[in-house]
Amino acid sequence: MAGEGYAFEQTFSFIPLPAKRFSFQQDKDTLALLMKWSMLGRLSAQTYSFDSNFHPYSCETFASCFFKDPQVIPTLRNMKAGVWVPLERPVVSVSAELVPCTKISMELFDPIYSCGILWPSGHVVKCFHDVYTDYDELRQMLQEEDSEHYHVIGRMEREEFLFRLFKHLCLGGELCQYEDTIEPYLSTTKKIYKDLISVQKDAETKISVVSTVLKVSAYDESGLCFPGTQEEEQTFAYLIVDPVKRNVTLFYHIYGVGSFSL
């Protein structure tokens, strides 16, 4: 019956929590690396509370309510000419992709150490590229499916939020100064991931991730309006939902030239 469908509809309301700050947003070493990678001032993490029980099957409804919520809309920003600006028009539709998020350690990256991407010292092996004058085996593994080392990280692992975060940091912004060693990428990935993701222990003291991660895009009547207005691999937005605390963090980056000062 038509009336029965309404019983399953759910809505969410949100309240910004501007006082919520993550340690990676205040750690000087992390900020210095983000500046070096041309992401400083363009990488944002904002947290909000919400008022209803969240389940992964409601992710599209959740994302749609988020981007249309009157408390959220004034907090959304794009970047034009290096300046944060509000969205120009109302959001009319939202896409939400459920991103696997199960990892509680950095073991996912172990294969990188034994396949020829790194020297024994941890330095990244340089390689020739037709387009890029300064290229290396790490970026080639991350970006090029036909590269020799692409499959050292399996298809399922590449979908994980932990790997996606690592890839985003390695590729950086428009004027990224790439690292000679892998350690800064891994340590920063670990720090941000630990900040953003919530875990819990079960009765057997096993630790598991409770957060749900959604990759999101919002559209107005003219097309893509957030994050950014043009498709770009390094322009991304994720909603990271903690269903226990009923908090959600909008973690996003607008590709371009980052800030040159802390």
Side-chain angles (χ1 to χ4, degrees):
M1 293 177 62
E4 292 178 351
Y6 291 100
F8 296 96
E9 289 186 359
Q10 186 177 14
T11 60
F12 298 87
S13 296
F14 300 85
I15 298 175
L17 303 175
K20 170 70 173 176
R21 298 276 290 169
F22 296 100
S23 62
F24 80 86
Q25 295 175 303
Q26 304 169 75
D27 179 72
K28 288 186 177 180
D29 292 337
T30 302
L31 295 176
L33 286 171
L34 293 176
M35 181 172 67
K36 184 179 179 182
W37 301 336
S38 198
M39 301 178 83
L40 186 66
R42 289 179 168 270
L43 186 70
S44 176
Q46 310 167 193
T47 302
Y48 309 77
S49 65
F50 58 90
D51 63 344
S52 299
N53 289 331
F54 171 86
H55 302 282
Y57 61 75
S58 62
C59 64
E60 290 188 3
T61 299
F62 182 88
S64 180
C65 289
F66 179 83
F67 281 102
K68 297 176 181 179
D69 189 283
Q71 296 290 321
V72 172
I73 292 169
T75 71
L76 299 176
R77 296 286 187 270
N78 272 325
M79 188 160 277
K80 286 188 177 180
V83 178
W84 289 109
V85 295
L87 302 192
E88 295 180 352
R89 288 178 286 271
V91 171
V92 296
S93 65
V94 175
S95 69
E97 169 198 349
L98 201 57
V99 175
C101 186
T102 64
K103 302 301 180 183
I104 56 170
S105 77
M106 301 292 282
E107 292 178 359
L108 182 155
F109 302 105
D110 287 353
I112 295 177
Y113 284 88
S114 57
C115 66
I117 292 175
L118 304 175
W119 297 107
S121 63
H123 284 72
V124 181
V125 176
K126 302 292 185 180
C127 64
F128 174 79
H129 195 276
D130 292 335
V131 178
Y132 306 105
T133 55
D134 178 25
Y135 206 54
D136 57 57
E137 294 286 356
L138 178 59
R139 278 180 285 155
Q140 191 170 59
M141 179 275 289
L142 292 173
Q143 292 180 292
E144 300 184 17
E145 194 166 351
D146 59 352
S147 70
E148 179 183 357
H149 304 299
Y150 184 87
H151 297 287
V152 299
I153 304 294
R155 182 178 59 84
M156 298 293 287
E157 283 73 19
R158 282 178 171 267
E159 292 298 313
E160 284 278 342
F161 179 64
L162 178 62
F163 183 83
R164 294 185 188 214
L165 177 58
F166 173 75
K167 181 177 179 181
H168 287 315
L169 295 176
C170 288
L171 298 183
E174 189 171 347
L175 296 181
C176 181
Q177 301 175 56
Y178 300 103
E179 298 294 328
D180 292 326
T181 66
I182 195 171
E183 194 281 330
Y185 296 130
L186 289 175
S187 61
T188 308
T189 298
K190 182 178 180 179
K191 186 173 190 63
I192 296 177
Y193 187 79
K194 191 174 180 180
D195 267 357
L196 295 177
I197 300 303
S198 300
V199 298
Q200 68 179 10
K201 289 184 179 180
D202 61 19
E204 299 176 355
T205 69
K206 290 183 179 179
I207 299 175
S208 61
V209 174
V210 297
S211 299
T212 295
V213 179
L214 309 174
K215 186 175 183 181
V216 291
S217 299
Y219 303 83
D220 61 22
E221 59 186 13
S222 299
L224 179 66
C225 68
F226 185 89
T229 55
Q230 295 182 334
E231 296 285 350
E232 158 60 51
E233 184 178 20
Q234 284 294 92
T235 293
F236 56 82
Y238 297 94
L239 287 177
I240 302 165
V241 186
D242 183 332
V244 179
K245 294 181 180 178
R246 286 190 180 176
N247 283 353
V248 57
T249 297
L250 175 63
F251 177 68
Y252 68 103
H253 175 254
I254 309 292
Y255 179 78
V257 179
S259 174
F260 294 107
S261 60
L262 295 177

